[in-house]
Amino acid sequence: MNTFLIVLAFCVVLSTTTTTTAFSFFDDNILNGLILQNDTVTIDLASIDYGHIVKVNPEAVLSPTSLNDIQSLIKAVNDNNSSSTLSSAPKTVAARGQGHSVRGQSTAEKGIVVNMTSLGSLGRRIVVVPNSLLGPYADVGGEQIWINVLVETLKHGLSPISWTDYLGLSVGGTLSNAGISGQAFRVGPQIANVYELDVITGKGDLVTCSRIKEPELFYSVLGGLGQFGIITRARIPLTKAPNKVKWLRLFYTDFSVFSRDQERLISLNGRMREKGGVEYVEGFLLMKQGPLDLSFYSVPDQLRITTLVAQSDVVYVLELAKYVDTAPVDEDLEVLLKGLGFIPGFAFSKDVTYLEFLNRVAADEEKLRKLGLWEVPHPWLNLFIPKSRMSEFNSGVFVNILLQKKVPVGVFIVYPLNRNKWDDKMSGVIPNDEEVFYTVALLHSSTAEEVEAFDGVNNQILEFCRVARIPVKQYLPHYETQPDWINHFGSKWPSFQRSKLTFDPNKILAPGQKIFN
């Protein structure tokens, strides 16, 4: 008889049918009455992610009340899948934090989704340690979102070092990818700024790992797309938080000058406190087909910018930030600006708090939610591109495909990163060889009817890169076949595959990535 017995209990609450599933075993010590949910509302919430493109129904959802619940589930699924009497497809398990994937990566078709947010009810899941032999750090639950981590650390005058642009993401989610933003050129991605992890492996073992202790698991999990384990705690290094931020945007119509200035700024990362050094460098595009988000600028400046974009077709905006402690930075910025080639009269700045700067996307999120434009399809394409091929990519993609096809501009981000700030032992994949590579993020929003057209544009961009032999790597990757994944990981594939066999031999974790399933 199959040991994966299901007992359904039905109850009516407020005229809504709610079903829970209790997984029972002959040996009660294995699971001991773990309760799963499979009511319509819960399944619907777990079936779709931020992308709103892929809808995949799990069989059930676990909202754990302890780490032991997750371990018990994973061990039970392993036992079920190993049963000689198994008559159905093997079960899989997907950990879901904020569900901010865009192609169903946090889903588990006919499997079990673990609602990691329920761990937030366990008590102190963000613990700040201002003084230790390591220096200041925070122990943070994998389900915690970065804005809450920031708010808690700021109470001590401290802050994590590396960030993502959007702080509504979970710690475990970003560490399973890479976690990048405009600070990464000087401090590396978030995966390079972790002391220690607690991980529940695909065998159900709770393991504490670091660069010294269980290093194979540590390096595999960071950037590992959830394939080897579920991150339940991360020890994050902290640094002194600045008081304020000088936030600047500089305008260009010549991509070569724009990219030259970006690369000059990230080359100063070792001297960031000296004149000319900055803490954050990004960039984005304004295109004549719009729409244009000009909320950063005054009304008179908005009129000038609109005219410039209409005349130039494409405007490149270099965004940078200088952190302010107590000393003024105006003199430093004057020296910096004199060495850059932006359009005279098109330099704009704001003085904001550190919290306002890091949480800058929250204001956009609030506006979009009010307009009903947040929970719409997001056919995104994120790429890493070698520096030597960016000029070709600009002319072939930005100027040709996007401009000529009049593709509506969502948020089109472009900025360089330094390879030496990444640890190649980790699973995260970046282009080989060159010391500088670019992030290009085409963050589209669309209607359901437009998704196919946007995907067509994304595929045309990827085909352009293939024909031109531009060795791009996808960030937040999405592939449908294992050969594509093998090509994506390149030389890392053998170790990636070996780690899967070591830590998740039955291949139950993160099925939505479609790497091994």
Side-chain angles (χ1 to χ4, degrees):
M1 174 181 281
N2 189 339
T3 60
F4 209 53
L5 301 178
I6 300 177
V7 179
L8 298 179
F10 299 93
C11 63
V12 178
V13 180
L14 297 178
S15 299
T16 301
T17 299
T18 301
T19 305
T20 58
T21 305
F23 284 72
S24 278
F25 291 81
F26 293 117
D27 182 357
D28 290 338
N29 292 327
I30 295 176
L31 200 55
N32 194 26
L34 190 64
I35 302 298
L36 305 179
Q37 296 171 282
N38 65 353
D39 62 278
T40 301
V41 173
T42 301
I43 294 297
D44 280 349
L45 288 173
S47 69
I48 198 159
D49 56 13
Y50 179 71
H52 283 270
I53 298 170
V54 177
K55 184 175 175 63
V56 176
N57 285 340
E59 181 177 301
V61 175
L62 171 70
S63 294
T65 58
S66 68
L67 299 185
N68 186 62
D69 284 354
I70 303 175
Q71 290 182 265
S72 295
L73 173 69
I74 291 176
K75 289 178 180 178
V77 170
N78 274 301
D79 288 344
N80 170 74
N81 292 353
S82 300
S83 171
S84 59
T85 60
L86 180 65
S87 59
S88 60
K91 301 298 178 187
T92 56
V93 176
R96 177 189 173 103
Q98 295 302 305
H100 209 79
S101 59
V102 297
R103 296 285 177 174
Q105 290 95 330
S106 58
T107 60
E109 185 173 11
K110 298 180 181 179
I112 297 99
V113 169
V114 180
N115 173 22
M116 296 295 290
T117 63
S118 67
L119 292 177
S121 64
L122 297 185
R124 295 185 68 203
R125 297 285 289 167
I126 304 175
V127 178
V128 179
V129 179
N131 298 293
S132 78
L133 293 177
L134 286 173
Y137 67 82
D139 278 330
V140 181
E143 80 288 345
Q144 294 296 312
I145 59 175
W146 284 102
I147 181 58
N148 292 342
V149 176
L150 175 61
V151 169
E152 192 63 31
T153 59
L154 284 177
K155 294 176 183 177
H156 302 267
L158 298 169
S159 165
I161 297 167
S162 188
W163 293 100
T164 57
D165 288 326
Y166 176 53
L167 303 190
L169 306 175
S170 69
V171 170
T174 65
L175 294 181
S176 295
N177 287 280
I180 58 173
S181 183
Q183 301 89 359
F185 77 90
R186 64 181 182 88
V187 297
Q190 289 181 319
I191 57 173
N193 290 276
V194 183
Y195 285 144
E196 184 179 272
L197 298 171
D198 283 348
V199 176
I200 298 176
T201 71
K203 296 188 287 189
D205 300 325
L206 178 60
V207 181
T208 298
C209 56
S210 68
R211 288 174 174 81
I212 305 300
K213 183 179 181 181
E214 304 291 343
E216 183 183 355
L217 180 61
F218 181 77
Y219 288 120
S220 296
V221 165
L222 292 170
L225 305 177
Q227 291 300 307
F228 315 111
I230 297 172
I231 297 171
T232 61
R233 178 187 65 91
R235 178 164 291 179
I236 307 295
L238 305 177
T239 190
K240 183 178 181 296
N243 295 318
K244 293 187 178 298
V245 174
K246 195 81 172 181
W247 184 8
L248 293 88
R249 291 181 176 178
L250 314 175
F251 282 49
Y252 298 74
T253 54
D254 186 326
F255 181 80
S256 64
V257 179
F258 164 76
S259 58
R260 180 202 67 192
D261 284 357
Q262 281 191 319
E263 291 163 18
R264 176 181 180 273
L265 289 170
I266 72 164
S267 73
L268 298 171
N269 72 89
R271 296 179 282 125
M272 63 188 179
R273 292 295 181 181
E274 298 179 20
K275 292 183 178 181
V278 295
E279 283 81 5
Y280 166 98
V281 175
E282 283 198 13
F284 57 92
L285 274 60
L286 299 176
M287 305 183 77
K288 71 175 182 179
Q289 65 263 38
L292 301 178
D293 179 5
L294 302 179
S295 56
F296 183 89
Y297 316 96
S298 68
V299 172
D301 288 334
Q302 291 178 17
L303 296 174
R304 293 197 301 125
I305 293 168
T306 301
T307 301
L308 177 67
V309 174
Q311 294 173 343
S312 307
D313 293 343
V314 182
V315 171
Y316 307 93
V317 182
L318 196 164
E319 185 172 52
L320 58 92
K322 181 81 172 175
Y323 293 171
V324 183
D325 293 321
T326 54
V329 299
D330 291 344
E331 185 178 328
D332 289 356
L333 287 174
E334 185 178 345
V335 173
L336 180 149
L337 295 178
K338 283 183 179 178
L340 302 180
F342 60 92
I343 302 170
F346 281 86
F348 309 94
S349 67
K350 279 185 177 181
D351 294 312
V352 296
T353 67
Y354 183 60
L355 177 60
E356 286 172 329
F357 175 70
L358 291 181
N359 200 33
R360 59 196 177 277
V361 178
D364 295 329
E365 177 185 359
E366 185 177 356
K367 287 187 292 186
L368 291 171
R369 284 190 184 277
K370 286 180 178 179
L371 294 170
L373 298 176
W374 184 259
E375 295 184 354
V376 299
H378 297 96
W380 288 1
L381 180 64
N382 295 271
L383 301 173
F384 290 146
I385 302 168
K387 166 189 166 182
S388 66
R389 308 302 298 273
M390 270 308 298
S391 177
E392 187 177 356
F393 187 90
N394 169 67
S395 59
V397 175
F398 296 155
V399 176
N400 189 3
I401 296 175
L402 298 180
L403 183 64
Q404 297 304 320
K405 286 186 172 293
K406 299 181 180 178
V407 177
V409 180
V411 180
F412 292 174
I413 301 172
V414 52
Y415 60 93
L417 295 168
N418 289 312
R419 180 182 179 83
N420 63 8
K421 298 299 179 181
W422 294 64
D423 191 332
D424 199 49
K425 298 188 196 74
M426 296 175 181
S427 293
V429 176
I430 58 177
N432 292 328
D433 302 327
E434 295 189 20
E435 288 304 311
V436 174
F437 63 95
Y438 275 75
T439 295
V440 172
L442 305 179
L443 309 183
H444 306 290
S445 296
S446 77
T447 65
E449 295 73 23
E450 294 171 327
V451 169
E452 187 175 348
F454 277 109
D455 277 347
V457 172
N458 291 341
N459 290 333
Q460 187 176 355
I461 291 169
L462 292 172
E463 179 64 9
F464 167 80
C465 292
R466 186 191 67 80
V467 172
R469 297 187 178 181
I470 300 175
V472 301
K473 292 294 183 182
Q474 286 192 34
Y475 177 57
L476 310 178
H478 166 71
Y479 299 104
E480 295 288 342
T481 69
Q482 192 172 82
D484 285 335
W485 280 109
I486 293 173
N487 180 65
H488 170 76
F489 283 105
S491 62
K492 289 189 177 185
W493 175 252
S495 62
F496 195 87
Q497 189 175 39
R498 184 168 58 250
S499 292
K500 186 69 170 178
L501 291 173
T502 301
F503 301 114
D504 183 24
N506 289 327
K507 301 179 177 63
I508 70 169
L509 293 179
Q513 297 283 2
K514 300 182 179 179
I515 301 176
F516 295 100
N517 304 74

